Amino acid sequence: MLLSPSRPIWSLPREEVVEALQSTAQGLTEQEALSRLERFGANKLPHLKRRPLLLRLVDQMLHFMAILLWVAGALAFAAGTPQLGWAIWGVVLINGCFSFWQDFQAERTLATLARSLPLTAQVWRDGEMRGVAADTLVPGDRVRLEEGERVPADCRLLRSSALLLDLSALTGESQPVPRQADPLPLREGQRPLPAVECANLLLAGTTVASGRGEAMVYATGLETEFGHVAHLTASTRRGISTLEQQVGKIVHTITLVAVSMGMLAFALNWLLVGMGPLESLVFAVGILVANVPEGLLPTVTLALAINVQRMARQQALVRRLSAVETLGSVSVICSDKTGTLTCNRMELEELWLPEETPERRNFLLAGSALCNNARLSGGSSVGDPTEVALVQAAADAGLDVEALRQRHGRLQEVPFDSHRRRMSVVVAWRPGEHGLPPGPATGRVVLTKGAPLEILAQC
Protein backbone atom coordinates (compact mmCIF):
# COMPACT_ATOMS: atom_id res chain seq x y z
CA MET A 1 0.00 0.00 0.00
CA LEU A 2 1.24 3.48 -0.86
CA LEU A 3 -1.05 5.39 1.51
CA SER A 4 0.45 7.90 3.94
CA PRO A 5 -0.87 10.25 6.67
CA SER A 6 0.37 13.23 4.65
CA ARG A 7 -1.91 12.30 1.75
CA PRO A 8 -5.00 10.52 3.13
CA ILE A 9 -7.07 8.49 0.71
CA TRP A 10 -9.96 10.96 0.73
CA SER A 11 -7.69 13.65 -0.77
CA LEU A 12 -6.46 11.56 -3.72
CA PRO A 13 -7.92 11.83 -7.23
CA ARG A 14 -9.66 8.69 -8.40
CA GLU A 15 -6.79 7.63 -10.67
CA GLU A 16 -4.26 7.91 -7.83
CA VAL A 17 -6.50 5.90 -5.48
CA VAL A 18 -6.09 2.84 -7.69
CA GLU A 19 -2.34 3.39 -7.89
CA ALA A 20 -1.97 3.97 -4.12
CA LEU A 21 -3.78 0.69 -3.39
CA GLN A 22 -1.60 -1.08 -5.97
CA SER A 23 -4.66 -2.30 -7.82
CA THR A 24 -6.13 -1.85 -11.32
CA ALA A 25 -9.29 -0.33 -12.75
CA GLN A 26 -10.59 -3.90 -13.21
CA GLY A 27 -9.81 -4.88 -9.62
CA LEU A 28 -7.42 -7.59 -8.45
CA THR A 29 -6.63 -11.00 -9.84
CA GLU A 30 -7.72 -14.00 -7.84
CA GLN A 31 -4.11 -14.89 -7.11
CA GLU A 32 -3.26 -11.41 -5.84
CA ALA A 33 -6.44 -11.38 -3.72
CA LEU A 34 -5.43 -14.67 -2.06
CA SER A 35 -1.94 -13.29 -1.41
CA ARG A 36 -3.37 -10.15 0.24
CA LEU A 37 -5.83 -12.22 2.24
CA GLU A 38 -2.89 -14.05 3.85
CA ARG A 39 -1.16 -10.72 4.46
CA PHE A 40 -4.03 -8.65 5.85
CA GLY A 41 -6.25 -11.39 7.27
CA ALA A 42 -9.97 -12.05 6.85
CA ASN A 43 -12.41 -9.16 6.63
CA LYS A 44 -14.27 -9.94 9.84
CA LEU A 45 -14.25 -9.04 13.48
CA PRO A 46 -12.32 -11.61 15.54
CA HIS A 47 -14.16 -13.66 18.12
CA LEU A 48 -13.80 -12.03 21.51
CA LYS A 49 -11.96 -14.09 24.12
CA ARG A 50 -14.39 -14.54 26.95
CA ARG A 51 -14.05 -16.19 30.32
CA PRO A 52 -15.25 -19.84 30.11
CA LEU A 53 -18.90 -20.35 31.01
CA LEU A 54 -18.10 -22.64 33.94
CA LEU A 55 -15.76 -20.07 35.51
CA ARG A 56 -18.34 -17.30 34.98
CA LEU A 57 -20.90 -19.46 36.80
CA VAL A 58 -18.41 -20.02 39.64
CA ASP A 59 -17.87 -16.23 39.85
CA GLN A 60 -21.57 -15.81 40.62
CA MET A 61 -21.24 -18.32 43.49
CA LEU A 62 -18.05 -17.00 45.09
CA HIS A 63 -18.37 -13.24 45.54
CA PHE A 64 -18.09 -11.97 49.13
CA MET A 65 -21.80 -12.00 49.94
CA ALA A 66 -22.17 -15.51 48.53
CA ILE A 67 -19.15 -16.75 50.53
CA LEU A 68 -20.69 -15.32 53.71
CA LEU A 69 -23.91 -17.27 52.99
CA TRP A 70 -22.00 -20.47 52.20
CA VAL A 71 -20.25 -20.18 55.56
CA ALA A 72 -23.54 -19.36 57.30
CA GLY A 73 -25.13 -22.46 55.79
CA ALA A 74 -22.22 -24.62 56.93
CA LEU A 75 -22.50 -23.17 60.42
CA ALA A 76 -26.23 -23.91 60.42
CA PHE A 77 -25.44 -27.57 59.71
CA ALA A 78 -22.86 -27.49 62.51
CA ALA A 79 -25.46 -26.00 64.85
CA GLY A 80 -27.86 -28.87 64.16
CA THR A 81 -30.32 -26.98 61.92
CA PRO A 82 -29.88 -28.61 58.49
CA GLN A 83 -33.18 -27.19 57.19
CA LEU A 84 -31.84 -23.66 57.65
CA GLY A 85 -28.49 -24.66 56.08
CA TRP A 86 -30.13 -26.08 52.95
CA ALA A 87 -32.37 -23.00 52.67
CA ILE A 88 -29.36 -20.64 52.82
CA TRP A 89 -27.38 -22.67 50.28
CA GLY A 90 -30.46 -22.85 48.04
CA VAL A 91 -30.67 -19.05 48.07
CA VAL A 92 -27.04 -18.81 46.91
CA LEU A 93 -27.49 -21.39 44.13
CA ILE A 94 -30.72 -19.91 42.77
CA ASN A 95 -29.38 -16.36 42.88
CA GLY A 96 -26.08 -17.37 41.21
CA CYS A 97 -27.84 -19.28 38.40
CA PHE A 98 -30.23 -16.40 37.78
CA SER A 99 -27.42 -13.81 37.57
CA PHE A 100 -25.39 -16.10 35.31
CA TRP A 101 -28.34 -16.59 32.94
CA GLN A 102 -28.92 -12.82 32.71
CA ASP A 103 -25.23 -12.26 31.88
CA PHE A 104 -25.29 -15.09 29.31
CA GLN A 105 -28.37 -13.70 27.54
CA ALA A 106 -26.81 -10.22 27.35
CA GLU A 107 -23.59 -11.65 25.88
CA ARG A 108 -25.57 -13.42 23.15
CA THR A 109 -27.34 -10.18 22.25
CA LEU A 110 -24.08 -8.22 22.14
CA ALA A 111 -22.59 -10.87 19.84
CA THR A 112 -24.93 -9.65 17.08
CA LEU A 113 -22.50 -6.74 16.59
CA ALA A 114 -20.27 -9.03 14.56
CA ARG A 115 -23.21 -9.87 12.26
CA SER A 116 -23.63 -6.25 11.17
CA LEU A 117 -21.34 -6.89 8.19
CA PRO A 118 -22.85 -8.48 5.05
CA LEU A 119 -22.15 -12.09 4.06
CA THR A 120 -21.44 -11.49 0.35
CA ALA A 121 -20.23 -8.68 -1.90
CA GLN A 122 -20.09 -7.93 -5.63
CA VAL A 123 -16.42 -7.67 -6.61
CA TRP A 124 -14.31 -7.43 -9.75
CA ARG A 125 -11.89 -10.37 -9.86
CA ASP A 126 -9.81 -11.25 -12.93
CA GLY A 127 -11.59 -8.49 -14.83
CA GLU A 128 -15.14 -9.79 -14.29
CA MET A 129 -17.88 -9.16 -11.75
CA ARG A 130 -18.58 -11.98 -9.32
CA GLY A 131 -20.10 -12.54 -5.92
CA VAL A 132 -17.64 -13.48 -3.18
CA ALA A 133 -17.83 -13.98 0.57
CA ALA A 134 -17.46 -10.60 2.29
CA ASP A 135 -14.81 -11.93 4.66
CA THR A 136 -12.48 -12.57 1.68
CA LEU A 137 -12.35 -8.90 0.68
CA VAL A 138 -8.89 -7.29 0.76
CA PRO A 139 -7.52 -3.75 0.25
CA GLY A 140 -7.44 -3.06 -3.47
CA ASP A 141 -10.68 -4.91 -4.30
CA ARG A 142 -13.13 -2.99 -6.46
CA VAL A 143 -16.73 -3.48 -5.27
CA ARG A 144 -20.15 -2.48 -6.55
CA LEU A 145 -22.90 -1.40 -4.15
CA GLU A 146 -26.63 -1.08 -4.79
CA GLU A 147 -29.51 0.41 -2.85
CA GLY A 148 -30.29 -1.50 0.34
CA GLU A 149 -26.90 -3.24 0.56
CA ARG A 150 -24.59 -2.98 3.54
CA VAL A 151 -21.05 -1.78 2.97
CA PRO A 152 -18.69 -4.75 3.58
CA ALA A 153 -15.46 -2.81 4.26
CA ASP A 154 -14.11 0.75 4.35
CA CYS A 155 -14.03 1.94 0.72
CA ARG A 156 -13.14 5.01 -1.32
CA LEU A 157 -15.76 5.90 -3.92
CA LEU A 158 -14.76 5.85 -7.58
CA ARG A 159 -18.19 6.33 -9.14
CA SER A 160 -21.56 7.24 -7.68
CA SER A 161 -25.09 7.81 -8.90
CA ALA A 162 -27.37 9.69 -6.49
CA LEU A 163 -25.75 7.75 -3.63
CA LEU A 164 -27.07 8.31 -0.10
CA LEU A 165 -25.47 6.51 2.84
CA ASP A 166 -27.17 5.62 6.14
CA LEU A 167 -24.49 6.20 8.80
CA SER A 168 -26.73 5.56 11.80
CA ALA A 169 -24.73 2.45 12.80
CA LEU A 170 -21.72 4.71 13.47
CA THR A 171 -23.16 8.16 14.19
CA GLY A 172 -26.74 7.58 15.36
CA GLU A 173 -28.01 10.06 12.74
CA SER A 174 -31.09 8.69 10.96
CA GLN A 175 -30.91 11.09 8.01
CA PRO A 176 -28.85 9.62 5.12
CA VAL A 177 -25.98 11.72 3.83
CA PRO A 178 -24.94 12.14 0.17
CA ARG A 179 -21.72 10.55 -1.05
CA GLN A 180 -19.73 11.55 -4.13
CA ALA A 181 -16.48 10.37 -5.73
CA ASP A 182 -14.58 13.66 -6.05
CA PRO A 183 -11.45 14.14 -3.89
CA LEU A 184 -11.62 16.49 -0.92
CA PRO A 185 -9.17 19.40 -0.71
CA LEU A 186 -6.25 18.96 1.68
CA ARG A 187 -4.96 22.24 3.06
CA GLU A 188 -1.56 22.65 4.67
CA GLY A 189 -1.73 22.24 8.43
CA GLN A 190 -5.32 20.95 8.26
CA ARG A 191 -6.24 18.37 10.89
CA PRO A 192 -7.25 14.95 9.51
CA LEU A 193 -10.96 14.73 8.80
CA PRO A 194 -12.92 12.03 10.65
CA ALA A 195 -13.87 9.25 8.24
CA VAL A 196 -17.61 9.79 8.82
CA GLU A 197 -17.26 13.39 7.58
CA CYS A 198 -15.50 12.46 4.34
CA ALA A 199 -18.07 12.58 1.55
CA ASN A 200 -16.13 10.17 -0.68
CA LEU A 201 -15.75 7.32 1.84
CA LEU A 202 -18.09 4.38 2.43
CA LEU A 203 -17.68 2.81 5.86
CA ALA A 204 -18.18 -0.82 6.85
CA GLY A 205 -21.46 -1.59 8.60
CA THR A 206 -23.33 1.33 7.04
CA THR A 207 -26.12 0.93 4.48
CA VAL A 208 -26.71 2.35 1.00
CA ALA A 209 -30.05 4.14 1.48
CA SER A 210 -30.46 4.95 -2.21
CA GLY A 211 -28.48 5.15 -5.43
CA ARG A 212 -25.51 3.02 -6.43
CA GLY A 213 -21.76 3.26 -6.63
CA GLU A 214 -18.42 1.59 -7.27
CA ALA A 215 -15.62 1.85 -4.75
CA MET A 216 -12.13 0.60 -3.90
CA VAL A 217 -11.58 -1.20 -0.57
CA TYR A 218 -8.81 0.36 1.53
CA ALA A 219 -9.39 -1.15 5.01
CA THR A 220 -10.82 -4.45 6.24
CA GLY A 221 -11.55 -6.21 9.53
CA LEU A 222 -10.33 -4.47 12.67
CA GLU A 223 -8.73 -1.70 10.58
CA THR A 224 -12.15 -0.36 9.59
CA GLU A 225 -13.99 2.33 11.56
CA PHE A 226 -16.55 -0.30 12.54
CA GLY A 227 -13.72 -2.53 13.74
CA HIS A 228 -12.42 0.29 15.95
CA VAL A 229 -15.86 0.63 17.55
CA ALA A 230 -16.04 -3.13 18.14
CA HIS A 231 -12.55 -3.08 19.68
CA LEU A 232 -13.51 -0.28 22.08
CA THR A 233 -16.62 -2.22 23.09
CA ALA A 234 -14.61 -5.38 23.76
CA SER A 235 -11.76 -3.68 25.62
CA THR A 236 -13.91 -1.66 28.03
CA ARG A 237 -13.12 -2.69 31.60
CA ARG A 238 -15.92 -3.23 34.04
CA GLY A 239 -15.80 -1.19 37.22
CA ILE A 240 -17.59 -1.75 40.50
CA SER A 241 -21.04 -0.21 40.55
CA THR A 242 -22.30 2.01 43.35
CA LEU A 243 -24.70 -0.70 44.50
CA GLU A 244 -21.93 -3.29 44.68
CA GLN A 245 -19.83 -0.90 46.76
CA GLN A 246 -22.70 -0.23 49.17
CA VAL A 247 -23.67 -3.90 49.50
CA GLY A 248 -19.99 -4.76 50.04
CA LYS A 249 -19.76 -2.27 52.91
CA ILE A 250 -22.95 -3.62 54.48
CA VAL A 251 -21.75 -7.23 54.22
CA HIS A 252 -18.36 -6.39 55.75
CA THR A 253 -20.06 -4.56 58.61
CA ILE A 254 -22.53 -7.40 59.21
CA THR A 255 -19.70 -9.95 59.10
CA LEU A 256 -17.68 -7.99 61.65
CA VAL A 257 -20.70 -7.59 63.96
CA ALA A 258 -21.75 -11.25 63.63
CA VAL A 259 -18.25 -12.63 64.26
CA SER A 260 -17.73 -10.27 67.20
CA MET A 261 -21.05 -11.23 68.79
CA GLY A 262 -20.38 -14.93 68.24
CA MET A 263 -16.93 -14.75 69.84
CA LEU A 264 -18.31 -12.70 72.72
CA ALA A 265 -21.17 -15.17 73.28
CA PHE A 266 -18.73 -18.10 73.18
CA ALA A 267 -16.45 -16.45 75.74
CA LEU A 268 -19.28 -15.41 78.09
CA ASN A 269 -21.00 -18.82 78.02
CA TRP A 270 -17.77 -20.71 78.60
CA LEU A 271 -16.17 -18.44 81.19
CA LEU A 272 -19.11 -16.93 83.09
CA VAL A 273 -22.15 -19.12 82.57
CA GLY A 274 -20.17 -22.33 82.91
CA MET A 275 -21.30 -24.05 79.71
CA GLY A 276 -18.97 -26.55 78.08
CA PRO A 277 -16.83 -25.60 75.06
CA LEU A 278 -19.02 -27.58 72.60
CA GLU A 279 -22.28 -26.13 73.95
CA SER A 280 -20.76 -22.63 73.91
CA LEU A 281 -19.65 -23.15 70.30
CA VAL A 282 -23.13 -24.27 69.21
CA PHE A 283 -24.67 -21.22 70.90
CA ALA A 284 -22.12 -18.89 69.23
CA VAL A 285 -22.81 -20.49 65.83
CA GLY A 286 -26.53 -19.88 66.31
CA ILE A 287 -25.88 -16.20 66.98
CA LEU A 288 -23.62 -16.00 63.90
CA VAL A 289 -26.26 -17.57 61.63
CA ALA A 290 -29.00 -15.37 63.09
CA ASN A 291 -27.04 -12.25 62.21
CA VAL A 292 -26.45 -13.27 58.58
CA PRO A 293 -29.09 -11.59 56.33
CA GLU A 294 -29.75 -14.52 53.98
CA GLY A 295 -32.69 -12.61 52.49
CA LEU A 296 -30.56 -9.63 51.42
CA LEU A 297 -29.04 -11.24 48.32
CA PRO A 298 -32.29 -12.52 46.73
CA THR A 299 -34.09 -9.28 47.62
CA VAL A 300 -31.48 -7.15 45.84
CA THR A 301 -31.30 -9.54 42.86
CA LEU A 302 -35.08 -9.66 42.47
CA ALA A 303 -35.40 -5.86 42.61
CA LEU A 304 -32.70 -5.47 39.93
CA ALA A 305 -34.17 -8.26 37.77
CA ILE A 306 -37.59 -6.58 37.72
CA ASN A 307 -36.02 -3.35 36.49
CA VAL A 308 -33.95 -5.21 33.87
CA GLN A 309 -37.18 -6.66 32.48
CA ARG A 310 -38.80 -3.23 32.43
CA MET A 311 -35.87 -1.80 30.46
CA ALA A 312 -35.93 -4.79 28.10
CA ARG A 313 -39.53 -3.93 27.22
CA GLN A 314 -38.22 -0.48 26.21
CA GLN A 315 -35.58 -2.09 23.94
CA ALA A 316 -32.73 -1.31 26.37
CA LEU A 317 -30.24 -4.10 26.96
CA VAL A 318 -28.63 -4.35 30.42
CA ARG A 319 -25.60 -6.60 30.44
CA ARG A 320 -25.22 -6.94 34.23
CA LEU A 321 -27.88 -6.65 36.91
CA SER A 322 -25.83 -4.27 39.04
CA ALA A 323 -25.66 -1.77 36.15
CA VAL A 324 -29.37 -0.98 36.56
CA GLU A 325 -28.79 0.80 39.87
CA THR A 326 -25.93 2.81 38.35
CA LEU A 327 -28.49 4.82 36.36
CA GLY A 328 -29.85 6.10 39.67
CA SER A 329 -26.45 7.62 40.47
CA VAL A 330 -26.17 9.51 37.16
CA SER A 331 -26.53 13.28 37.36
CA VAL A 332 -25.36 14.26 33.85
CA ILE A 333 -25.93 12.38 30.56
CA CYS A 334 -23.82 13.40 27.55
CA SER A 335 -25.51 12.21 24.39
CA ASP A 336 -25.81 12.89 20.69
CA LYS A 337 -29.20 13.91 19.34
CA THR A 338 -30.99 12.23 16.41
CA GLY A 339 -30.89 8.45 16.49
CA THR A 340 -29.61 8.35 20.07
CA LEU A 341 -32.49 10.06 21.86
CA THR A 342 -35.01 9.01 19.19
CA CYS A 343 -36.01 5.67 17.63
CA ASN A 344 -33.79 6.22 14.57
CA ARG A 345 -36.78 6.28 12.23
CA MET A 346 -39.12 8.84 10.71
CA GLU A 347 -42.90 8.83 10.57
CA LEU A 348 -45.51 10.93 8.78
CA GLU A 349 -47.37 12.79 11.54
CA GLU A 350 -49.78 14.96 9.56
CA LEU A 351 -50.98 15.41 6.00
CA TRP A 352 -52.23 18.88 5.01
CA LEU A 353 -54.38 19.93 2.04
CA PRO A 354 -56.13 23.29 1.53
CA GLU A 355 -59.41 21.49 0.81
CA GLU A 356 -59.12 17.91 1.97
CA THR A 357 -61.28 15.22 0.38
CA PRO A 358 -60.73 11.44 0.33
CA GLU A 359 -59.92 11.64 -3.40
CA ARG A 360 -57.28 14.35 -2.95
CA ARG A 361 -55.81 12.62 0.09
CA ASN A 362 -55.43 9.34 -1.82
CA PHE A 363 -53.94 11.18 -4.78
CA LEU A 364 -51.31 12.84 -2.58
CA LEU A 365 -50.41 9.57 -0.82
CA ALA A 366 -50.30 7.68 -4.12
CA GLY A 367 -48.02 10.35 -5.61
CA SER A 368 -45.68 10.16 -2.62
CA ALA A 369 -45.46 6.37 -3.00
CA LEU A 370 -44.84 6.53 -6.78
CA CYS A 371 -42.19 9.28 -6.55
CA ASN A 372 -40.25 7.10 -4.18
CA ASN A 373 -37.54 4.41 -4.20
CA ALA A 374 -38.14 2.94 -0.73
CA ARG A 375 -39.46 -0.60 -0.36
CA LEU A 376 -41.41 -2.34 2.38
CA SER A 377 -40.90 -6.05 2.81
CA GLY A 378 -42.66 -7.81 5.66
CA GLY A 379 -41.61 -6.07 8.84
CA SER A 380 -38.48 -4.47 7.35
CA SER A 381 -37.87 -1.50 5.07
CA VAL A 382 -35.12 -0.43 2.66
CA GLY A 383 -34.42 3.12 1.55
CA ASP A 384 -34.19 6.71 2.71
CA PRO A 385 -36.03 7.14 6.06
CA THR A 386 -38.10 10.02 4.66
CA GLU A 387 -39.19 7.91 1.70
CA VAL A 388 -39.87 4.93 3.96
CA ALA A 389 -42.14 7.14 6.10
CA LEU A 390 -44.10 8.25 3.00
CA VAL A 391 -44.52 4.71 1.69
CA GLN A 392 -45.57 3.49 5.13
CA ALA A 393 -48.17 6.27 5.36
CA ALA A 394 -49.61 5.24 1.98
CA ALA A 395 -49.74 1.60 3.09
CA ASP A 396 -51.38 2.54 6.40
CA ALA A 397 -54.04 4.45 4.44
CA GLY A 398 -55.01 1.22 2.65
CA LEU A 399 -53.15 1.74 -0.63
CA ASP A 400 -51.38 -1.25 -2.15
CA VAL A 401 -48.02 0.36 -2.94
CA GLU A 402 -46.65 -2.49 -5.07
CA ALA A 403 -49.87 -2.70 -7.07
CA LEU A 404 -49.76 1.08 -7.60
CA ARG A 405 -46.19 0.90 -8.91
CA GLN A 406 -47.00 -1.94 -11.28
CA ARG A 407 -50.15 -0.22 -12.56
CA HIS A 408 -48.51 3.20 -12.94
CA GLY A 409 -45.13 2.13 -14.31
CA ARG A 410 -42.21 4.55 -14.08
CA LEU A 411 -41.10 5.83 -17.47
CA GLN A 412 -38.30 8.16 -16.38
CA GLU A 413 -36.58 9.36 -13.21
CA VAL A 414 -34.56 12.45 -12.32
CA PRO A 415 -32.98 11.51 -8.96
CA PHE A 416 -32.68 13.86 -6.02
CA ASP A 417 -29.44 15.86 -5.84
CA SER A 418 -28.10 18.70 -3.72
CA HIS A 419 -28.54 21.24 -6.52
CA ARG A 420 -32.14 20.55 -7.61
CA ARG A 421 -33.15 19.49 -4.11
CA ARG A 422 -36.04 17.50 -5.49
CA MET A 423 -36.81 14.16 -7.14
CA SER A 424 -39.03 13.83 -10.21
CA VAL A 425 -40.51 10.82 -11.99
CA VAL A 426 -42.67 10.35 -15.06
CA VAL A 427 -45.27 7.59 -14.64
CA ALA A 428 -47.90 6.04 -16.89
CA TRP A 429 -51.16 7.28 -15.38
CA ARG A 430 -54.21 5.04 -15.31
CA PRO A 431 -56.97 6.86 -13.40
CA GLY A 432 -60.03 5.46 -11.75
CA GLU A 433 -58.28 3.19 -9.21
CA HIS A 434 -57.91 3.69 -5.47
CA GLY A 435 -60.09 6.79 -5.72
CA LEU A 436 -57.49 8.58 -7.88
CA PRO A 437 -58.61 11.53 -10.03
CA PRO A 438 -58.55 11.45 -13.86
CA GLY A 439 -55.17 12.07 -15.45
CA PRO A 440 -54.22 13.98 -18.59
CA ALA A 441 -55.08 12.78 -22.05
CA THR A 442 -51.49 11.71 -22.72
CA GLY A 443 -51.65 9.16 -19.91
CA ARG A 444 -48.42 10.48 -18.38
CA VAL A 445 -47.93 12.40 -15.15
CA VAL A 446 -44.86 14.05 -13.68
CA LEU A 447 -44.62 13.65 -9.91
CA THR A 448 -42.04 15.52 -7.86
CA LYS A 449 -41.15 15.87 -4.19
CA GLY A 450 -38.40 17.77 -2.40
CA ALA A 451 -37.58 20.90 -0.44
CA PRO A 452 -40.68 23.12 0.03
CA LEU A 453 -39.07 26.24 -1.50
CA GLU A 454 -38.03 24.30 -4.60
CA ILE A 455 -41.46 22.71 -5.04
CA LEU A 456 -43.29 26.00 -4.52
CA ALA A 457 -41.04 27.67 -7.10
CA GLN A 458 -42.33 25.19 -9.71
CA CYS A 459 -46.00 25.91 -8.93
Side-chain angles (χ1 to χ4, degrees):
M1 302 297 105
L2 300 178
L3 299 174
S4 67
S6 60
R7 293 202 68 196
I9 194 166
W10 46 262
S11 68
L12 300 178
R14 279 170 279 193
E15 299 76 15
E16 295 185 24
V17 170
V18 177
E19 180 182 347
L21 294 172
Q22 296 179 332
S23 184
T24 68
Q26 289 75 39
L28 300 172
T29 63
E30 193 66 37
Q31 184 177 359
E32 176 65 18
L34 290 174
S35 174
R36 296 192 182 192
L37 186 61
E38 293 182 3
R39 176 183 173 189
F40 296 104
N43 177 38
K44 60 182 180 181
L45 303 180
H47 293 291
L48 301 177
K49 293 182 179 179
R50 304 231 179 251
R51 191 170 172 82
L53 288 176
L54 181 59
L55 293 180
R56 286 157 62 185
L57 177 59
V58 171
D59 290 341
Q60 300 294 342
M61 305 293 183
L62 293 181
H63 53 82
F64 191 83
M65 182 65 177
I67 292 174
L68 177 62
L69 293 178
W70 283 118
V71 174
L75 293 176
F77 280 102
T81 55
Q83 297 85 355
L84 178 60
W86 285 118
I88 294 176
W89 283 1
V91 165
V92 180
L93 288 170
I94 293 173
N95 184 83
C97 291
F98 183 85
S99 300
F100 168 77
W101 177 250
Q102 174 67 26
D103 183 49
F104 177 69
Q105 289 289 89
E107 290 288 350
R108 289 179 58 185
T109 305
L110 290 173
T112 58
L113 181 66
R115 295 197 291 270
S116 295
L117 299 179
L119 298 178
T120 60
Q122 297 296 317
V123 185
W124 272 267
R125 291 278 175 86
D126 293 324
E128 62 180 22
M129 173 70 67
R130 64 180 69 171
V132 301
D135 58 7
T136 64
L137 288 179
V138 294
D141 266 329
R142 181 166 181 164
V143 298
R144 183 176 68 183
L145 294 162
E146 302 282 347
E147 180 178 312
E149 294 181 346
R150 283 188 300 214
V151 181
D154 284 1
C155 308
R156 162 64 198 274
L157 262 176
L158 300 179
R159 295 179 183 175
S160 65
S161 175
L163 185 66
L164 292 177
L165 196 66
D166 181 358
L167 290 170
S168 58
L170 293 176
T171 65
E173 296 286 349
S174 61
Q175 192 67 27
V177 294
R179 285 294 186 253
Q180 47 83 26
D182 296 331
L184 303 178
L186 178 63
R187 300 178 181 86
E188 186 176 353
Q190 176 186 358
R191 65 175 180 84
L193 288 175
V196 294
E197 296 181 10
C198 296
N200 54 16
L201 298 184
L202 306 180
L203 304 178
T206 59
T207 306
V208 179
S210 64
R212 60 193 63 87
E214 296 177 9
M216 194 73 72
V217 175
Y218 70 88
T220 58
L222 276 176
E223 298 302 318
T224 63
E225 294 297 315
F226 192 80
H228 296 162
V229 173
H231 176 71
L232 288 174
T233 303
S235 60
T236 301
R237 294 185 178 181
R238 177 186 176 235
I240 300 176
S241 71
T242 306
L243 179 65
E244 289 173 320
Q245 293 176 359
Q246 294 173 344
V247 170
K249 290 179 180 179
I250 292 175
V251 171
H252 282 84
T253 303
I254 291 174
T255 302
L256 180 61
V257 171
V259 171
S260 300
M261 291 182 65
M263 293 176 64
L264 181 61
F266 177 80
L268 292 176
N269 284 316
W270 186 21
L271 298 176
L272 299 181
V273 178
M275 297 176 64
L278 183 59
E279 293 176 319
S280 299
L281 178 62
V282 171
F283 190 81
V285 167
I287 291 179
L288 277 170
V289 173
N291 278 282
V292 173
E294 62 272 4
L296 176 61
L297 187 58
T299 300
V300 172
T301 301
L302 183 61
L304 295 177
I306 291 173
N307 286 282
V308 166
Q309 296 301 320
R310 288 177 178 173
M311 295 188 69
R313 287 195 290 269
Q314 301 297 324
Q315 308 301 314
L317 173 67
V318 179
R319 187 174 179 180
R320 290 183 175 87
L321 290 177
S322 60
V324 176
E325 187 275 339
T326 308
L327 293 174
S329 305
V330 173
S331 56
V332 177
I333 296 178
C334 299
S335 175
D336 195 4
K337 46 187 192 310
T338 310
T340 306
L341 299 177
T342 67
C343 297
N344 193 27
R345 63 182 175 86
M346 301 182 72
E347 184 176 307
L348 182 64
E349 289 288 339
E350 185 178 354
L351 191 149
W352 179 86
L353 288 164
E355 296 180 10
E356 184 170 338
T357 64
E359 186 180 65
R360 289 187 174 188
R361 185 180 181 86
N362 282 346
F363 176 65
L364 187 57
L365 289 172
S368 67
L370 292 172
C371 185
N372 198 311
N373 288 324
R375 300 191 304 274
L376 301 179
S377 177
S380 61
S381 58
V382 175
D384 180 275
T386 305
E387 294 193 337
V388 169
L390 293 174
V391 172
Q392 188 64 56
D396 292 343
L399 299 180
D400 189 334
V401 176
E402 291 304 318
L404 270 174
R405 290 175 173 176
Q406 292 177 8
R407 186 67 175 167
H408 308 282
R410 184 179 299 182
L411 305 176
Q412 189 175 350
E413 175 187 351
V414 182
F416 180 94
D417 61 52
S418 57
H419 300 291
R420 293 180 69 248
R421 297 200 298 167
R422 64 184 186 275
M423 172 186 178
S424 303
V425 296
V426 181
V427 299
W429 194 255
R430 294 178 173 85
E433 296 181 347
H434 307 289
L436 301 180
T442 61
R444 297 181 180 182
V445 167
V446 177
L447 301 171
T448 187
K449 74 175 191 301
L453 291 178
E454 298 296 328
I455 299 299
L456 291 173
Q458 308 302 317
C459 297

